[in-house]
Amino acid sequence: MDMLTIQHLIQHANVEPLEARMLMQYVTGYSRASLISRGHDVLPASQAQQFTALVARRVQGEPMAYIIGQREFYGRPFKVTPDVLIPRPDTETLIEHVLQHCGWGAEHALNVLDMGTGSGAIAVTLACERPHWRVSALDISNAALSVAAENAEQLGAQVTFMHSDWFSAWAAHETHPTFDIIVSNPPYVAALDVHLQQGDVRFEPRMALTDEADGLRHYKSLVQTAPDYLKAGGQLWFEHGYDQAQAVREALMDAGFIDVNTIRDLAGHERVSGGTIRNK
């Protein structure tokens, strides 16, 4: 029976100890403290089998976030599925910058658009942190929008979601909304980048990772169209790859943006770039 105790199963799982504990917490619903205090408890056979199956999935390389269906972002739990990109700490750099430097006063109600929202991590976080902002989000994937809407509901965020391939939903209309801030974490991995065949990204939706070109196609397109959807003095901010900052800055300046700047992430990499549209 020792082989079915919580402690034995965790210790002999062929994954990192932290991951084994996370999987056991997922199976049992126990807290980490309970896993320790109940380590010698015998796990029911059905739960032991479930744990073993989850460990096998992790051994094959499947991301932990997809196995347990959740990833923390900016201190909040976000549901994730294979239909969405897994939220990453790098993206918190974009959140921090927008919250600290794009507020125009703490009480100013801004119109904010998140383009390519995926799990909703950016839009929902901004709506939670600034409840008086009017946050909208769009995505080309209905499956992703479903996940994002569920996250907004679970976390109490007011976000308006729309199905659209970038700005295409408004392209045929004579009038359309304008925004104070547009943010985006577009697919920026080059199609031939070897990282697409490594680690977690092997399991993530390819369309959320790469533009099937050089990684810059969406930036160059969006900087040309975004000014039509920005208010005078509005700002556009992107997350990008660690080696793409100069190219993104040049695209912004070529499109007429001013005060173009790049923000470094905690690792010191150039991670977020943006600028302000001239007064119209």
Side-chain angles (χ1 to χ4, degrees), residues 33-278:
S34 294
L35 288 185
I36 296 173
S37 64
R38 305 186 67 168
H40 294 290
D41 288 2
V42 174
L43 203 63
S46 60
Q47 289 188 327
Q49 291 170 0
Q50 182 185 6
F51 176 77
T52 300
L54 296 182
V55 168
R57 290 169 60 185
R58 182 56 185 153
V59 169
Q60 293 299 314
E62 187 172 348
M64 285 289 293
Y66 288 159
I67 295 173
I68 65 177
Q70 182 175 288
R71 172 60 59 89
E72 182 177 305
F73 180 80
Y74 213 77
R76 296 181 177 88
F78 278 80
K79 175 182 177 179
V80 292
T81 74
D83 294 310
V84 300
L85 199 67
I86 299 169
R88 289 169 167 78
D90 292 343
T91 305
E92 295 186 1
T93 303
L94 176 60
I95 298 291
E96 288 285 350
H97 180 75
V98 170
L99 292 177
Q100 294 178 15
H101 301 286
C102 302
W104 291 290
E107 300 306 317
H108 194 93
L110 303 180
N111 287 333
V112 181
L113 175 65
D114 174 26
M115 303 186 67
T117 194
S119 67
I122 295 174
V124 171
T125 299
L126 292 177
C128 286
E129 294 293 319
R130 297 289 187 268
H132 56 290
W133 287 6
R134 294 180 291 271
V135 180
S136 301
L138 56 82
D139 203 288
I140 193 174
S141 166
N142 281 315
L145 288 170
S146 178
V147 174
E150 187 171 341
N151 280 321
E153 181 177 1
Q154 291 297 319
L155 295 171
Q158 296 297 315
V159 180
T160 300
F161 293 101
M162 174 181 292
H163 179 258
S164 181
D165 182 5
W166 303 123
F167 294 110
S168 65
W170 294 305
H173 296 265
E174 292 185 5
T175 61
H176 55 72
T178 55
F179 301 91
D180 298 288
I181 305 171
I182 296 176
V183 294
S184 184
N185 179 17
Y188 58 70
V189 181
L192 299 179
D193 194 313
V194 295
H195 293 94
L196 289 173
Q197 309 303 323
Q198 300 173 358
D200 287 357
V201 298
R202 293 173 297 159
F203 296 83
E204 295 182 273
R206 186 176 175 91
M207 66 182 299
L209 292 164
T210 178
D211 61 3
E212 301 297 352
D214 63 355
L216 296 169
R217 181 166 63 89
H218 292 307
Y219 296 106
K220 293 175 180 178
S221 173
L222 290 174
V223 297
Q224 296 297 324
T225 52
D228 291 337
Y229 296 85
L230 283 168
K231 298 179 181 180
Q235 299 187 36
L236 173 65
W237 290 94
F238 293 116
E239 178 180 336
H240 51 67
Y242 73 95
D243 58 351
Q244 295 173 318
Q246 181 175 345
V248 174
R249 289 194 300 267
E250 290 175 354
L252 286 160
M253 290 185 287
D254 289 345
F257 284 84
I258 60 174
D259 300 326
V260 173
N261 192 21
T262 294
I263 312 301
R264 294 182 182 271
D265 61 22
L266 292 177
H269 298 133
E270 294 185 314
R271 184 61 58 186
V272 172
S273 294
T276 302
I277 193 65
R278 296 176 186 271

